């Protein structure tokens, strides 16, 4: 099972690899291996520099997530991040095996207490007692208008229907927008979005797991060529 394979290979070797990678990057000054700043982290890890220093790449958070949304970062995310947990709300049904595919702060499976932070041995995922689905801010949804079916006037409302925070609204032309204040980055809209499949013939070299609505960390801004 993919989930267990990922978890099983995510231990001490990963920590060593990650630490070695950090050292190599610092020694060589390879700016191209620096993280691009677009990784969303599990609850309690929104201070990225503190998180990178504290996470020991043990994989416990990934193992316990009941919703299947934590995956290990790869070299494409930057050497300093390799094997750290990142949120992935674009996993397919065959990868999720019936799991939710977005973060509900463990409301359904652990009375709203984030399991990932509960098991983290290093404090990298660190939450206040009053942390909840309503107070979390994992990121903000961003709509790629060139890929969005509704922005192509094809009448899609899947993201709005999926949003538990009512943070997506439509303008007078039935095109969706995100209320950045209301959005908590839960990823339900991204998980629901089907736009990539619908326009895949024109996908060019875009990564197969990027959907027309995607969650990015607070403060992220699209690159000029995106
Ligand atoms: S809070 Fe729960 S659902 Fe969200 S990432 Fe952590 S373990 Fe997964
Ligand atoms: S449980 Fe904590 S230390 Fe282990 S990989 Fe997850 S965030 Fe890092
Ligand atoms: S817009 Fe998307 S990420 Fe934001 S709260 Fe709604 S479903 Fe969650």
């Amino acid at each position: 099972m993919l989930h267990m394979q990922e978890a099983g290979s995510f231990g001490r070797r990963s920590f060593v690899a990650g630490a070695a990678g950090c050292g190599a990057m610092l020694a060589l000054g390879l700016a191209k291996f620096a993280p691009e700043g677009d990784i969303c982290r599990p609850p309690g890890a929104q201070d990225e520099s503190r998180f990178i220093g504290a996470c020991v790449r043990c994989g416990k958070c990934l193992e316990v997530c009941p919703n299947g949304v934590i995956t290990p970062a790869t070299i494409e995310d930057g050497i300093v991040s390799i094997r750290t947990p990142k949120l992935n709300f674009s996993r397919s049904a065959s990868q999720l095996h019936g799991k939710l595919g977005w973060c509900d702060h463990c409301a359904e499976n652990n009375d709203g207490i984030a399991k990932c932070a509960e098991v983290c041995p290093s404090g990298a995922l660190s939450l206040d007692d009053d942390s909840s689905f309503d107070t979390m801010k994992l990121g903000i949804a961003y709509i790629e208008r060139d890929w969005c079916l509704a922005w192509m006037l094809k009448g899609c409302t899947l993201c709005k229907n999926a949003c538990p925070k009512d943070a997506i609204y439509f303008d007078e032309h039935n095109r969706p927008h995100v209320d950045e204040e209301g959005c908590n980055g839960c990823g339900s809209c991204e998980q629901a979005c089907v736009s990539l499949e619908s326009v895949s013939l024109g996908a060019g070299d875009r990564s197969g797991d990027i959907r027309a609505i995607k969650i990015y960390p607070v403060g992220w801004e699209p690159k000029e060529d995106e």
Side-chain angles (χ1 to χ4, degrees), residues 1 18 25-26 40 52 59 69 72 83 87 99 111 117 126 129 145 149 158 178 181 212:
M1 194 166 79
M25 192 187 80
L26 291 172
C40 282
I52 285 287
V69 295
R83 310 305 291 178
L87 295 176
K99 294 173 182 167
D111 295 328
S126 180
D129 289 344
R145 295 177 178 180
L149 295 178
L158 286 172
V178 176
E181 290 292 317

Side-chain angles (χ1 to χ4, degrees), residues 141 159 162-165 167-168 178 182-190 213 215:
C159 57
C163 179
K165 298 281 287 178
I168 296 177
V178 176
C183 173
N184 67 0
C186 71
S188 178
C189 53
E190 183 176 329
I213 188 163
I215 317 307

Side-chain angles (χ1 to χ4, degrees), residues 3 7 10 42-43 51 54-66 70 85 106 110 113-127:
H3 186 71
F10 195 90
F51 173 73
C55 176
V56 295
R57 281 80 166 163
C58 65
K60 292 183 186 296
C61 52
L62 185 151
E63 286 177 50
V64 299
C65 178
I70 307 180
C106 288
N110 201 35
I113 299 168
K115 280 191 171 187
C116 50
E118 250 186 345
V119 301
C120 178
S122 69
L125 303 180
S126 180
L127 289 172

Side-chain angles (χ1 to χ4, degrees), residues 6 9 11 14 16 30 48 63 68-70 87 99 111-112 144 157 173 178 213-214 221 226:
E6 287 170 348
S9 61
S14 302
V16 172
L30 295 177
E48 179 71 10
E63 286 177 50
V69 295
I70 307 180
L87 295 176
K99 294 173 182 167
D111 295 328
E144 175 56 74
T157 60
H173 302 294
V178 176
I213 188 163
K214 182 170 171 57
E221 290 186 4
E226 286 187 297

Side-chain angles (χ1 to χ4, degrees), residues 75-110:
I75 194 165
E76 291 179 4
D77 299 303
I79 284 180
V80 295
S81 290
I82 197 165
R83 310 305 291 178
T84 58
K86 71 182 236 184
L87 295 176
N88 183 347
F89 303 123
S90 285
R91 302 187 81 195
S92 65
S94 63
Q95 292 172 314
L96 288 169
H97 302 288
K99 294 173 182 167
L100 210 53
W102 55 279
C103 176
D104 65 349
H105 208 275
C106 288
E108 197 169 304
N109 291 285
N110 201 35

